Amino acid sequence: MARTERYQQIRSLLMARRSVSLRELMAHFEVSRSTIFRDMTFLRERLGMPVELDREIGAYRLLAADDSAELPGIWLSADEIHALLSMQYLLENIDTSGILSGQLQPMRRRLLDMLGAGSHTAEEIARRIRIIAATPRRCQAENFQTVADALLARRRLEIRYRARASSATTSREISPQRLTHYRDNWYLDAWCHTRQALRSFAVDAIEKAKTLATPAQDIADSELDRQLAAGYGIFAGSDVRWARLRFSAMRARWVAGEQWHPQQQGQLLPDGRYELRLPYSADPELLMDILKYGPDCEVLEPETLRQRVIGLLEEARAKYRGVADGETGGG
């Protein structure tokens, strides 16, 4: 019998009877006295199970006040612990800025304890799973912690925010609503009291964050979704338009299986090409995704988006033509 399964059965016996004799445990599991001693020491000292040996009657007694007392972790099977370790490893690799490491490491130690000494599961996971973050930007761990604490405590924040597009730095008072991890980066949806509007802030662009005593103003989830989740990607908004894109037959093999937006509509054409319709508001992110496919993606609608793509492609072509003619790059 696996050790974790034995722990689970010991828990069940104690929860059902409150006390079980040492002799009964040895006979039930067909193990030695020293094995039971080791198991009980592990359960008490490593997993925090409230149990003690009553030497007068030669039995282990559960000290919890009632049956609802929590006995952390011992009901997990080895497979479940392995799965949790895998998830913990995935989180560590997503957390490229180290902002969650303080919370993840204790969980990792606890899971390893539950697997028992000598297990190489965590090392095997690290060897067999590889995660490569695409373009993560580093957050200041202190700022992220302040933002997360204020978010959960429902307190306003005073932030100093640097906008990348203009390089301007502004001070804002905001009511945090939710954190979003999107394309390897963290964003904070918040009601901006300075602008009197909903805004999405890149957490890595927050240069300083201070929690205020003032309670946060709550915005309904439906309103957050209407204004911030209706459009395409992180550049969302309430003024939604629909784009229609057509991909070459070769690229259709990939794009047909991708989700660009939860409300997208796609169809394979008789000649193997693929058409995709999806909503968007602000277009910067959609433009980047369109342009990465080069000649394999054509914008059919709307005309304004089509002209934007044409203009950007012409600008790029002009730069390369200049290099071909002997001019230096840049500018």
Side-chain angles (χ1 to χ4, degrees):
M1 178 183 296
R3 187 183 310 177
T4 52
E5 185 179 352
R6 191 165 67 244
Y7 293 160
Q8 182 175 359
Q9 291 194 22
I10 291 173
R11 169 188 179 270
S12 298
L13 286 169
L14 287 169
M15 290 293 287
R17 298 169 51 183
R18 312 305 299 175
S19 67
V20 183
S21 72
L22 177 59
R23 188 178 300 277
E24 285 180 281
L25 290 170
M26 292 168 57
H28 181 84
F29 295 109
E30 298 180 347
V31 295
S32 66
R33 177 188 299 262
S34 60
T35 297
I36 296 298
F37 281 154
R38 284 196 301 270
D39 285 351
M40 290 303 187
T41 299
F42 184 87
L43 289 169
R44 183 176 57 252
E45 297 182 358
R46 304 289 287 275
L47 298 183
M49 183 175 174
V51 64
E52 71 171 10
L53 174 62
D54 187 329
R55 296 187 181 278
E56 291 186 5
I57 61 174
Y60 282 96
R61 293 192 300 111
L62 190 63
L63 302 181
D66 53 55
D67 289 347
S68 65
E70 182 182 3
L71 303 178
I74 58 175
W75 55 84
L76 294 176
S77 68
D79 288 343
E80 290 169 330
I81 296 170
H82 295 168
L84 285 173
L85 276 171
S86 299
M87 292 169 61
Q88 184 265 347
Y89 177 74
L90 292 171
L91 284 172
E92 281 186 344
N93 281 270
I94 290 173
D95 179 34
T96 54
S97 297
I99 52 185
L100 300 177
S101 58
Q103 289 75 26
L104 291 173
Q105 285 307 313
M107 181 179 74
R108 176 185 175 87
R109 288 193 296 269
R110 187 62 172 273
L111 290 170
L112 289 174
D113 283 346
M114 290 162 64
L115 281 173
S119 172
H120 60 275
T121 302
E123 289 73 17
E124 186 68 9
I125 290 171
R127 285 185 59 217
R128 303 299 180 185
I129 299 177
R130 188 180 182 213
I131 300 173
I132 302 175
T135 53
R137 301 186 298 268
R138 295 194 64 83
C139 296
Q140 294 184 41
E142 181 180 352
N143 285 344
F144 184 90
Q145 189 68 55
T146 300
V147 166
D149 288 346
L151 174 70
L152 297 177
R154 307 309 303 129
R155 292 288 183 266
R156 295 189 189 188
L157 282 166
E158 182 182 322
I159 63 172
R160 187 170 68 234
Y161 188 75
R162 176 177 49 83
R164 287 193 178 82
S166 63
S167 295
T169 301
T170 58
S171 294
R172 310 281 189 99
E173 182 174 326
I174 63 173
S175 286
Q177 304 298 318
R178 61 189 179 191
L179 275 167
T180 300
H181 189 262
Y182 178 72
R183 295 194 177 189
D184 293 329
N185 292 290
W186 287 98
Y187 297 88
L188 174 66
D189 294 340
W191 176 263
C192 178
H193 296 276
T194 307
R195 299 288 189 263
Q196 288 295 300
L198 281 171
R199 292 288 187 268
S200 187
F201 299 94
V203 177
D204 59 283
I206 297 176
E207 297 182 341
K208 186 176 181 180
K210 176 184 176 183
T211 304
L212 303 177
T214 313
Q217 177 179 331
D218 284 324
I219 306 297
D221 289 346
S222 57
E223 183 63 16
L224 291 174
D225 290 339
R226 187 183 73 83
Q227 294 201 40
L228 299 178
Y232 183 80
I234 210 66
F235 295 97
S238 56
D239 180 20
V240 177
R241 291 161 287 176
W242 283 78
R244 185 160 67 100
L245 315 177
R246 185 164 59 206
F247 294 86
S248 68
M250 183 184 70
R251 288 300 172 194
R253 302 167 196 167
W254 286 270
V255 180
E258 297 175 354
Q259 178 174 296
W260 289 39
H261 191 278
Q263 298 176 24
Q264 70 183 41
Q265 303 165 7
Q267 64 171 340
L268 282 169
L269 302 177
D271 60 4
R273 293 182 296 174
Y274 181 75
E275 283 197 6
L276 176 67
R277 292 186 72 248
L278 71 162
Y280 75 102
S281 49
D283 61 16
E285 194 170 356
L286 181 56
L287 285 169
M288 288 188 292
D289 286 342
I290 291 170
L291 291 171
K292 75 181 181 182
Y293 284 100
D296 289 307
C297 177
E298 179 186 0
V299 177
L300 303 178
E301 296 176 347
E303 185 62 26
T304 52
L305 182 64
R306 181 181 176 89
Q307 291 303 318
R308 286 270 286 156
V309 172
I310 291 172
L312 290 170
L313 289 173
E314 288 180 345
E315 286 183 26
R317 185 170 182 271
K319 288 182 181 295
Y320 284 101
R321 183 188 298 119
V323 172
D325 291 342
E327 299 177 10
T328 56

